[in-house]
Amino acid sequence: MDEASATRTVAAVDLGAASGRVMVGRVGPDTLELTEAHRFPNRPVQVGTALHWDVLALYQGVLDGLRRAAAEHRADSSVIDTSAVHSSAIDSVGIDSWAVDYGLLDADGALLGNPHHYRDPRTAPEVIERVWHQVGGVEALYRTTGLQHLPFNTVFQLAAAQGSAQLTAARTLLLIPDLIAYWLTGTLGAEATNASTTGLFDATTRTWSPRLAKAIGLDPALLPPLRAPGTLAGPLLPEVAADTGLGPNTRLAIVASHDTASAVAAVPATDPEFAYISCGTWSLAGVELPAPALAEDSRLAGFTNELGVDGTVRYLRNVMGLWLLDETRRHWQARGLPADLDALLAQAAAADPFTSLIDPNDPRFLPPGDIPGRIRRFCDDTGQPAPATPGAVVRCILESLALAHRHTLRQAAARTGRTLTTVHLVGGGSNNALLCQWTADALGLPVIAGPAEATALGNVLMQGRAHGLVADLAAMRGLVARTQPLRRHEPSGDIGTWDRAARRVGLT
Ligand SMILES: C[C@H](O)[C@H](O)[C@@H](O)C(=O)CO
């Protein structure tokens, strides 16, 4: 701790679907700085028909990043106990990642195989039907969990694994950030914001639901004790502290480990009725509520009630997001076709507007593979001309995402009695000026773009909370607004063209 400016230096581990990062943050009442110590790819692995995360490669990336962070932030030897093996200026480590996926530990605490990827096809409709039957119906499940229906919700993944040797041998279930935390500290726990994405969490009591676990044949003992974001946990394991150079003083900080929860905590909003889009692989679009909205119309509209920081509720819906563009580029790259992002965005800007539109949430777009081909077939199925050039494909994706953002936020406002005034678009997608501008045009509302690193900033800020340096959510958001570069997009053009486009694809 730098007494003079009451700041702390912390490491934020942010694992996304496309890449992992270890960032170093400096945080205090008036300080919020972020630098990247290490970035590494997150490459899913197909084994037969199963799609897995390569979690050991991810953990290796985390260790490499922490080593770099420690090396770049050595403690000032004049103020530390020189007898200590290693000591770095890194006061704590916070971990966040995408939601729903998990690893299973056996009775010895060893990992039972690589976690499945949420895009793995194992949660077939009959598995989902079986769960609904076991828990007393889809309505009953929603009344307890408030979770939007997504085929990859953890509850359905566990149902698909019922009877497997792996699940039979399992003694502990750890969501991805909790698994990394376990390997770094040896402690078991489940951070609450991410636990709220499983379909085994009671949105009203904010606790695990042993009833739901038992109903799907899962032993509730597999679910570790819950941990609240904004608290400090134990030190790193001695061998990890020595290997990384972080030393005995560095502690695990429990942050909002669901990356979207960290991103929403860092939205630079001053208006309590703000709307947000956390935009990356997915676009998570919604509003923040003080309590879950569990009524049937929220379920039918596909809204979720994921737990946020300080007991807030993230009332949002998943929109397929920039996965559509990233997977399209991967598909073209694999075929030696041009896939440079800036060139494609310039071509999209120059392409004719509203030629081809899709519903980004059509289930055909979830699995990896030939997204451009599926767009063509969607257009054929809906009597639209298919995009004829790469630029037209990218324009189709971005216009359709802007429409889905509009559709989702308007529905969220209607169901919560909110009047939308400004939309905050945060995350990597905020670097996509075309998408931000078209989202503003489609909604007819100003879009404030940034910060791009909202998730990592939310991670660092919650560590600042844990160290008692940042007071509350409002202080966190104010600090972001005061310290981070933001870009304002005013709505332009005739919103009537977006109204007509929305009607074409049923996103009214
Ligand atoms: C499965 C998605 O990852 C999840 O729904 C989303 O909220 C997320 O975690 C985005 O990173």
Side-chain angles (χ1 to χ4, degrees):
M1 174 169 205
D2 170 342
E3 293 302 332
S5 58
T7 63
R8 294 269 177 162
T9 303
V10 301
V13 174
D14 176 26
L15 303 177
S19 67
R21 280 99 41 74
V22 174
M23 312 290 276
V24 173
R26 212 161 70 80
V27 57
D30 300 306
T31 307
L32 182 60
E33 295 158 8
L34 195 66
T35 53
E36 185 173 287
H38 184 46
R39 173 186 291 266
F40 46 95
N42 183 3
R43 297 187 59 217
V45 183
Q46 186 83 34
V47 181
T49 58
L51 188 62
H52 291 274
W53 299 106
D54 187 351
V55 75
L56 292 181
L58 288 177
Y59 185 57
Q60 190 64 275
V62 170
L63 293 174
D64 294 343
L66 293 176
R67 253 182 236 107
R68 282 205 194 155
E72 289 160 13
H73 294 83
R74 276 263 151 266
D76 167 354
S77 58
S78 65
V79 295
I80 60 158
D81 157 2
T82 50
S83 67
V85 177
H86 286 293
S87 241
S88 78
I90 305 279
D91 291 292
S92 57
V93 177
I95 305 157
D96 71 71
S97 90
W98 70 93
V100 299
D101 291 336
Y102 59 89
L104 295 169
L105 306 183
D106 67 13
D108 304 324
L111 182 67
L112 287 159
N114 257 310
H116 277 80
H117 188 300
Y118 61 80
R119 292 182 199 272
D120 179 284
R122 63 181 174 159
T123 50
E126 60 274 13
V127 171
I128 292 167
E129 290 288 340
R130 188 175 73 231
V131 170
W132 286 341
H133 176 71
Q134 289 169 322
V135 300
V138 59
E139 298 85 355
L141 183 61
Y142 192 82
R143 280 196 298 274
T144 299
T145 66
L147 212 63
Q148 67 189 314
H149 172 66
L150 292 167
F152 47 69
N153 288 343
T154 316
V155 64
F156 300 128
Q157 295 195 44
L158 288 164
Q162 270 311 319
S164 67
Q166 194 190 59
L167 194 51
T168 307
R171 293 295 173 270
T172 307
L173 177 148
L174 291 176
L175 297 167
I176 300 292
D178 302 321
L179 177 62
I180 302 293
Y182 169 66
W183 283 339
L184 292 176
T185 65
T187 62
L188 294 172
E191 188 279 322
T193 66
N194 208 16
S196 76
T197 72
T198 57
L200 294 168
F201 187 87
D202 186 313
T204 306
T205 62
R206 291 157 190 208
T207 59
W208 288 121
S209 169
R211 176 181 61 78
L212 286 176
K214 286 182 199 149
I216 64 160
L218 184 82
D219 177 356
L222 265 70
L223 304 172
L226 290 168
R227 298 200 273 207
T231 55
L232 285 175
L236 308 179
L237 287 167
E239 58 273 22
V240 171
D243 169 23
T244 56
L246 286 171
N249 310 325
T250 303
R251 299 178 63 186
L252 175 71
I254 306 301
V255 301
S257 73
H258 179 196
D259 55 9
T260 309
S262 278
V264 171
V267 167
T270 48
D271 161 5
E273 302 234 323
F274 70 99
Y276 55 81
I277 304 169
S278 174
C279 184
T281 297
W282 290 87
S283 281
L284 298 313
V287 296
E288 182 169 83
L289 299 178
L294 304 176
E296 190 60 357
D297 68 337
S298 289
R299 182 185 73 77
L300 293 169
F303 280 97
T304 202
N305 293 271
E306 291 167 353
L307 193 60
V309 164
D310 294 351
T312 57
V313 168
R314 294 171 287 126
Y315 183 84
L316 60 84
R317 193 161 65 202
N318 278 47
V319 174
M320 206 64 81
L322 287 167
W323 153 259
L324 294 168
L325 180 54
D326 298 343
E327 190 65 2
T328 292
R329 292 175 58 217
R330 268 189 291 273
H331 184 78
W332 287 338
Q333 256 150 6
R335 284 153 189 73
L337 299 168
D340 173 74
L341 181 58
D342 292 338
L344 287 169
L345 291 175
Q347 292 164 28
D352 294 337
F354 306 121
T355 303
S356 321
L357 295 167
I358 59 169
D359 173 359
N361 277 5
D362 184 292
R364 76 184 81 191
F365 297 123
L366 180 65
D370 180 9
I371 298 288
R374 294 176 207 158
I375 290 175
R376 260 196 313 282
R377 284 187 287 288
F378 185 100
C379 291
D380 296 347
D381 295 352
T382 52
Q384 297 181 76
T389 64
V393 170
V394 173
R395 186 165 188 130
C396 165
I397 291 172
L398 297 180
E399 285 176 340
S400 304
L401 281 179
L403 281 171
H405 289 166
R406 162 186 140 132
H407 180 60
T408 305
L409 291 182
R410 286 186 170 185
Q411 289 203 327
R415 277 159 187 73
T416 59
R418 295 282 171 93
T419 307
L420 301 182
T421 53
T422 306
V423 172
H424 288 271
L425 194 152
V426 301
S430 66
N431 292 326
N432 189 319
L434 265 185
L435 179 59
C436 296
Q437 185 59 52
W438 287 344
T439 297
D441 297 349
L443 274 159
L445 291 172
V447 165
I448 299 180
E453 295 293 356
T455 299
L457 288 167
N459 182 320
V460 168
L461 285 161
M462 281 312 287
Q463 297 194 58
R465 294 276 303 271
H467 290 288
L469 295 175
V470 182
D472 54 23
L473 203 41
M476 290 165 68
R477 291 173 171 155
L479 201 41
V480 175
R482 292 199 305 278
T483 61
Q484 305 302 311
L486 306 176
R487 207 181 52 247
R488 187 180 177 89
H489 293 264
E490 293 296 343
S492 64
D494 163 20
I495 195 163
T497 54
W498 289 93
D499 296 340
R500 288 187 291 281
R503 281 195 290 276
R504 250 170 68 192
V505 271
L507 291 175
T508 47

